Amino acid sequence: MALDQHVSELIAFLKQAGAKSFELMDLHEFRGAVGSSVGMQKPPQEVAKVHSVDIPGPAGALPARIYVPKGQAPFSVIVYFHGGGWVGGGLDVVDEPCRALANKTGAIVVASSYRLAPENKFPSAVEDAYAAMKWVGDRIASFGGNIEKLFVAGDSAGGNLAAATTLMARDRGGPKLSGQILLYPVVDAKADYPSMREHAEGYFLHTAALSWFWDHYISAATDRNNPYASPIDGNLVGLPRTLIVSMEYDPSRDESEAYGAKLAAAGVDVRVTRIDGLIHGAFWSSGAVPRAEELYEEIAGFLRTQP
């Protein structure tokens, strides 16, 4: 399919504005660029309530926000981890997407922060993510959540953390998850797939940027084989229902879809949906890219079809 017109216009605007590819930025520039993505979003939607909490983490408090939709409790629960290459991003950047997700799905959305690289290398982020998920499992009922309908989700590097914490939940005895929702997840630290060459440049996220992110996140070469860094290398038997959404014009497209194929081979109930014409980062771009709504529709459909 042809590149979406709004995406094409966004890429042209960024190019005209002199935006650099991520791998050419220093940390300060990159984090500022991620923060500026709020300007590509619709105005934040109203939800019934937003609770700001501090979740106890392995190395200190993890600020989090609990978005409660309108309606009657108990609600399904989505624990969400933001993208940003493990290097950038934060709760303010994903405030609008989390509000929209809560309203679209009718679920409580818990957005948790985690320690960023390179100041905090692997496994800091994933251990924080698992601590947040455990806290939600223990405490979300008091906010109106239904612990029997607990999901984990994330986009890009956040999709990596969602996939890794799903493995941890199985390996460490809980919490029990009803499903994982992975939006264009980065799941293979040794990735070399056709889409990484086909869409190496020109579509917002460059293949070289993926390497830049991994180099900031990974502590040692051996970590690239660790399933909690590269979930595609893990034993995937016994994992919960999974939704993977990939983007056509995305260098990480094929690794996301390869993860879906490996989950299916392990007997996992998995749905892999490729959204044609869109690019990496669409979930955060509701104002600039109206078809970002399709990601929310996929998630809502996945929750509606749960057993």
Side-chain angles (χ1 to χ4, degrees), residues 2-187:
L3 187 66
D4 176 80
Q5 180 182 346
H6 291 93
V7 170
S8 181
E9 292 171 355
L10 174 61
I11 291 173
F13 170 79
L14 293 173
K15 184 176 181 180
Q16 186 176 22
K20 295 192 293 186
S21 182
F22 296 144
E23 73 277 6
L24 302 177
M25 297 180 181
D26 61 29
L27 287 177
H28 178 74
E29 288 176 313
F30 174 72
R31 288 169 176 167
V34 172
S36 69
S37 64
V38 172
M40 297 189 292
Q41 299 171 359
K42 293 179 180 178
Q45 299 178 16
E46 291 293 329
V47 295
K49 196 157 190 179
V50 180
H51 302 274
S52 295
V53 299
D54 285 331
I55 295 174
L62 303 171
R65 293 178 189 168
I66 301 172
Y67 298 86
V68 182
K70 297 174 184 177
Q72 185 65 43
F75 301 99
S76 297
V77 181
I78 302 171
V79 182
Y80 166 76
F81 301 112
H82 67 78
W86 306 283
V87 175
L91 299 183
D92 289 341
V93 179
V94 296
D95 181 69
E96 185 273 333
C98 288
R99 290 169 178 268
L101 184 59
N103 285 338
K104 187 69 176 182
T105 61
I108 288 176
V109 176
V110 183
S112 178
S113 59
Y114 51 87
R115 285 172 288 169
L116 297 177
E119 296 89 344
N120 301 279
K121 296 275 194 174
F122 173 82
S124 297
V126 69
E127 292 292 351
D128 286 354
Y130 180 65
M133 193 163 67
K134 281 183 62 181
W135 184 92
V136 171
D138 291 338
R139 300 286 301 276
I140 201 62
S142 64
F143 295 91
N146 182 354
I147 193 59
E148 300 299 322
K149 296 181 179 180
L150 176 62
F151 297 81
V152 64
D155 64 289
S156 191
N160 171 284
L161 296 177
T165 54
T166 300
L167 290 171
M168 285 183 166
R170 181 203 59 195
D171 298 344
R172 299 181 180 181
K176 183 179 179 181
L177 296 175
S178 295
Q180 57 176 339
I181 300 161
L182 312 177
L183 308 179
Y184 38 87
V186 179
V187 292

Side-chain angles (χ1 to χ4, degrees), residues 101 155 181 183-184 243 245 247 275 278 281-284 291-300:
L101 184 59
D155 64 289
I181 300 161
L183 308 179
Y184 38 87
L243 171 66
V245 183
M247 306 287 104
I275 300 184
L278 294 192
F283 187 64
W284 291 10
R291 285 186 61 207
E293 178 67 21
E294 294 178 27
L295 282 81
Y296 297 91
E297 292 171 356
E298 287 289 338
I299 298 169

